[in-house]
Amino acid sequence: MPSVNDIIMEPSAVTVPELPEVNVPGGGEFELFFDANVEPEKRMAYILMMATDCMHDFNIKTVYPYSEFMSNRKLGGGGWVRKLSANKDIVVQELMRRDPNAKPNKSNRSCEELLRLFKPLTDRSDIDFVVQEELEIRKKLEAMLGELNTKRVGHDLKEKTPKRPKIEKKVDTAEAVANVNIHLKLDDSSASIAMEAAEKAARNSDFKVTIAIVNAEGVPMIVKRLEGANPHSFDLAITKAKTACLFQRNSSQLQDFPDVSRGGVPLMANGICMGGVGVSGDKQPNCEKVAYAAVDKLMEDAKQESLDLKTNRYVDLPDVDVPEVPPPVPEASV
């Protein structure tokens, strides 16, 4: 199990997970300041403070997995309020970085009052750096929670009373879908299926739009401008798809950022971003509706395919008997 020291982000020791690349030539002003001036034990709280400031609706008390550690402070050794929350020294340090002429009186003000004195963060490279670092912290804490839950389940099993007779329980469809491990891969074939679903939804509603599908790296796989769509919607659709893929959330949740509008939806499977769909050319809710048609089609097919399997403990479809699959017989060499 990773220790608390493993979570503290030391630039020389962190193994960066596979994330969408962010073009920050040479690093932004905040990134350079952060690497040079912020002490290792304060880095996690500092990044989460910055994320609260520049990311819409981000709050460590409500966003998973931080909410789990905040509500159960004894997890993994405890002390999570101090580790996740910025104290006055951290807030004042960032306040002075943004405005060297500021003279905050931290003795008479709370952290919340000092945070209101922040000047807005305007450098996009700084925002991208904060978002990427926050995703790294989130993945590390999710991994820690997973290992803690595994240990807790194993401990509980040891202390249980003798097993009672097993009672057969019928699994309903909703429960089956929730428990299945979805196998989804975005390739040329599945991208074409997603494009057909989005195009059908757009034509049925007479939306004159451009539809773009990108892979996990943000590289366009298919882009199609329907008849009558504005030529400028071509680039905008690609941008929306890339944005949804980069931030791993709907572009409708990123409207505080400049030049970001609704219509971009990430394609997520088992917590991993496989790509993104972007739609532009009509009203923003209509664009988002078309993008969801593509994503929902791929997710529906992937869930159905997974539910039909009976290996790797997949949950079967209700009322469907799937015969056991015998092990494959090795082919005779020619």
Side-chain angles (χ1 to χ4, degrees):
M1 185 188 75
S3 64
V4 174
N5 293 329
D6 292 331
I7 297 178
I8 295 176
M9 301 178 301
E10 297 182 10
S12 60
V14 172
T15 300
V16 180
E18 293 183 6
L19 292 169
E21 294 183 359
V22 180
N23 292 324
V24 185
E29 178 185 350
F30 172 68
E31 180 178 355
L32 298 176
F33 170 86
F34 183 81
D35 290 339
N37 298 282
V38 180
E39 300 171 6
E41 62 270 18
K42 296 181 180 179
R43 289 175 179 264
M44 183 161 55
Y46 207 115
I47 287 295
L48 296 181
M49 174 194 68
M50 296 291 289
T52 303
D53 180 50
C54 66
M55 294 170 62
H56 183 60
D57 287 341
F58 181 88
N59 189 324
I60 59 175
K61 295 181 180 179
T62 57
V63 174
Y64 181 87
Y66 311 111
S67 57
E68 294 292 323
F69 288 90
M70 293 295 287
S71 60
N72 190 352
R73 301 173 186 180
K74 294 183 180 180
L75 283 174
W80 287 104
V81 173
R82 175 180 54 82
K83 296 166 190 172
L84 300 179
S85 305
N87 56 30
K88 288 185 181 181
D89 291 335
I90 294 176
V91 177
V92 170
Q93 186 177 11
E94 176 59 15
L95 183 60
M96 297 298 294
R97 184 192 73 83
R98 299 193 192 187
D99 184 7
N101 297 322
K103 298 180 180 179
N105 185 353
K106 66 179 182 180
S107 61
N108 295 331
R109 291 182 175 177
S110 65
C111 283
E112 290 74 15
E113 292 173 327
L114 291 170
L115 285 169
R116 297 192 193 103
L117 302 177
F118 278 2
K119 289 186 175 181
L121 204 60
T122 57
D123 189 339
R124 185 54 184 265
S125 62
D126 288 344
I127 296 174
D128 290 344
F129 173 74
V130 171
V131 171
Q132 186 170 354
E133 292 297 309
E134 186 274 325
L135 287 175
E136 291 179 11
I137 299 175
R138 188 179 302 201
K139 289 191 174 184
K140 288 175 183 287
L141 291 182
E142 286 177 347
M144 175 180 277
L145 269 182
E147 294 188 15
L148 288 172
N149 289 335
T150 301
K151 280 193 171 184
R152 186 163 49 202
V153 169
H155 184 266
D156 292 343
L157 288 175
K158 290 180 181 178
E159 296 183 352
K160 277 189 175 179
T161 55
K163 293 183 179 179
R164 298 179 180 178
K166 185 177 180 180
I167 300 175
E168 293 294 332
K169 178 185 176 183
K170 186 177 179 180
V171 181
D172 60 28
T173 304
E175 189 176 356
V177 172
N179 288 312
V180 95
N181 186 22
I182 300 172
H183 278 243
L184 176 61
K185 181 179 180 181
L186 186 62
D187 52 19
D188 292 341
S189 175
S190 56
S192 298
I193 293 174
M195 178 60 73
E196 290 175 4
E199 185 178 352
K200 180 180 178 181
R203 293 190 186 280
N204 288 344
S205 300
D206 196 25
F207 298 153
K208 298 176 175 58
V209 295
T210 297
I211 306 162
I213 300 176
V214 302
N215 62 16
E217 288 75 34
V219 179
M221 300 180 68
I222 305 179
V223 184
K224 187 168 185 178
R225 184 166 71 91
L226 302 186
E227 184 178 355
N230 190 315
H232 297 292
S233 64
F234 190 92
D235 292 332
L236 290 174
I238 297 175
T239 300
K240 289 182 181 182
K242 286 183 177 180
T243 302
C245 184
L246 171 65
F247 291 100
Q248 300 186 15
R249 60 189 72 184
N250 295 353
S251 61
S252 60
Q253 298 175 311
L254 305 169
Q255 292 188 23
D256 286 349
F257 295 161
D259 303 325
V260 177
S261 56
R262 292 173 66 178
V265 179
L267 181 59
M268 306 291 295
N270 306 317
I272 301 173
C273 183
M274 312 299 295
V277 181
V279 181
S280 180
D282 207 295
K283 294 180 179 179
Q284 294 185 23
N286 298 339
C287 292
E288 193 171 53
K289 177 181 177 181
V290 174
Y292 268 117
V295 173
D296 291 345
K297 174 60 178 175
L298 290 184
M299 295 302 293
E300 179 184 351
D301 291 349
K303 288 177 180 178
Q304 186 67 37
E305 182 180 353
S306 300
L307 286 169
D308 287 340
L309 302 176
K310 199 176 180 181
T311 58
N312 293 338
R313 299 180 181 177
Y314 294 162
V315 180
D316 301 326
L317 280 171
D319 304 325
V320 175
D321 294 328
V322 182
E324 293 286 348
V325 179
V329 178
E331 295 183 1
S333 58
V334 178

